[in-house]
Amino acid sequence: MKTRITELFGIRHPIIQGGMHFVGLAELAAAVSNAGGLGIITGLTQRTPEDLSREIERCRRMTDKPFGVNLTFLPAVTPPDYPGYVLAILDGGVKIVETAGNNPQRWLPPLQEAGVKVIHKCTSVRHALKAQSIGCDAVSVDGFECGGHPGEDDVPNMILLPRAADALTIPFVSSGGMADGRSLVASLALGADGMNMGTRFMATKEAPIHDNVKQALVAATELDTRLVMRSLRNTERVLVNAGVDRLLEKERTLGQGLKFEDIMPEVAGVYPAVMQRGEMDAGAWSCGMVAGLIHDIPTCKELIDRTMAQATRIIRDRLEGMLEA
């Protein structure tokens, strides 16, 4: 399939694996890229720029296909060594970067001077237009259905994607609720040039996470996510569990007086406990409503191949068959 996204990134299929904390390691990124999509290493999962350099090299030993690095810019009292991470990306010869969080403008010049293509994650059309205006090559448009941080506008993809298509001139991919060939065809019909899958790639054989997490995704339905930290305007969609229930009870009890420090036990340091040790009730971890469409744990190749086959059947058989001769 040829779209502006496959041409921009030099990939076979318009499918991107989103950067996910303690999930986007070299083995998953390489498996997605080898299957014809775009695999993404999550930069800040690596504790230091030196660790990221080693992870990039590890990925390069597993694939000769294009892959990218996610770099999320977050407000922090002691920010990560962003200059060091950018240098690790450049020294590693990575040519695709997925940015997220705060405006990435100050980091674009060194990336673009090195020929790196930048795709920025956005949860609104106004943010997508800003990314376009500062020189991002593409954007990922994340609807309200997405796991992680959906923003504060609560606009689902059936509205957000055509709005983005009307407003943008750069390529964009859909994100949030994406699981299969139906998702891809719908995204293309709404104006996107491909799709980003996060939660769906967690439930694959190559995802380097505990089997408890994968089985939880298979067992979950679309009704099993919750929105937390709304009063802090840092909304996150997570899979419900005992830790999330504790967090929500604190939000109900404290109301507008809630401070981040109040929920630290349910959100700080949760990802190693969940993703590596399989402690499913440790606290809040990102999960999309797409869990309701996850019923198995295939390899990345199996997932991408059947996604593309299903998309082709829908376009050629179902949709073309609806047209009158």
Side-chain angles (χ1 to χ4, degrees):
M1 189 177 285
K2 180 180 176 181
T3 74
R4 292 191 295 171
I5 283 293
T6 62
E7 299 220 301
L8 179 65
F9 295 137
I11 55 179
R12 185 179 180 196
H13 305 306
I15 298 173
I16 298 174
Q17 165 246 316
M20 296 172 282
H21 204 32
F22 281 86
V23 182
L25 302 183
E27 45 266 71
L28 178 60
V32 172
S33 291
N34 284 334
L38 179 64
I40 302 284
I41 294 170
T42 306
L44 294 188
T45 294
Q46 304 303 316
R47 297 186 64 180
T48 69
E50 293 74 23
D51 290 333
L52 178 58
S53 293
R54 285 189 285 270
E55 195 69 8
I56 290 170
E57 180 54 33
R58 198 163 73 89
C59 191
R60 208 170 287 291
R61 290 196 296 268
M62 289 187 268
T63 184
D64 60 357
K65 302 294 193 297
F67 64 89
V69 171
N70 166 280
L71 202 51
T72 299
F73 299 105
L74 300 170
V77 176
T78 306
D81 180 9
Y82 286 119
Y85 283 108
V86 170
L87 186 59
I89 289 167
L90 297 179
D91 288 347
V94 174
K95 293 300 182 183
I96 301 164
V97 167
E98 177 192 63
T99 56
N102 289 345
N103 187 325
Q105 184 169 11
R106 66 173 290 197
W107 307 104
L108 292 184
L111 294 173
Q112 293 174 329
E113 286 168 15
V116 174
K117 302 298 183 185
V118 176
I119 178 169
H120 186 61
K121 291 178 72 70
C122 306
T123 59
S124 69
V125 173
R126 65 184 181 279
H127 292 153
L129 285 169
K130 181 63 175 179
Q132 176 176 276
S133 73
I134 64 175
C136 291
D137 300 281
V139 291
S140 173
V141 176
D142 291 25
F144 185 53
E145 309 92 326
C146 73
H149 298 280
E152 308 301 325
D153 293 344
D154 300 358
V155 181
N157 271 325
M158 283 292 287
I159 306 301
L160 191 59
L161 296 179
R163 278 282 291 112
D166 288 343
L168 296 170
T169 57
I170 59 174
F172 72 95
V173 297
S174 62
S175 184
M178 305 300 145
D180 53 27
R182 296 171 296 184
S183 310
L184 178 57
V185 175
S187 299
L188 298 174
L190 293 173
D193 301 283
M195 69 177 180
N196 177 305
M197 294 196 296
T199 304
R200 173 65 267 201
F201 274 121
M202 292 175 68
T204 58
K205 286 187 165 58
E206 294 92 346
I209 57 178
H210 200 283
D211 191 58
N212 288 355
V213 181
K214 300 179 187 184
Q215 296 303 328
L217 292 172
V218 171
T221 77
E222 65 277 12
L223 303 177
D224 291 327
T225 68
R226 299 290 185 271
L227 296 172
V228 299
M229 297 189 286
R230 298 233 81 176
S231 64
L232 299 177
R233 295 193 60 79
N234 188 33
T235 301
E236 183 177 3
R237 186 179 297 281
V238 300
L239 191 70
V240 67
N241 59 46
V244 169
D245 285 340
R246 292 194 301 271
L247 193 164
L248 289 171
E249 181 58 30
K250 289 181 180 180
E251 293 194 10
R252 282 190 291 268
T253 302
L254 297 174
Q256 292 302 311
L258 181 78
K259 298 183 178 62
F260 184 74
E261 292 76 14
D262 298 321
I263 58 173
M264 286 280 284
E266 288 75 36
V267 297
V270 167
Y271 278 81
V274 175
M275 300 302 166
Q276 295 176 343
R277 301 193 296 273
E279 299 172 12
M280 301 310 297
D281 291 326
W285 56 277
S286 296
C287 176
M289 296 176 79
V290 75
L293 298 176
I294 297 174
H295 308 301
D296 63 352
I297 304 171
T299 66
C300 290
K301 186 178 189 316
E302 289 166 345
L303 176 60
I304 289 177
D305 283 352
R306 76 188 188 196
T307 294
M308 296 308 301
Q310 184 184 37
T312 301
R313 286 195 305 272
I314 292 170
I315 294 168
R316 287 184 174 163
D317 299 337
R318 178 173 169 76
L319 298 183
E320 282 191 3
M322 291 177 176
L323 296 175
E324 293 182 350

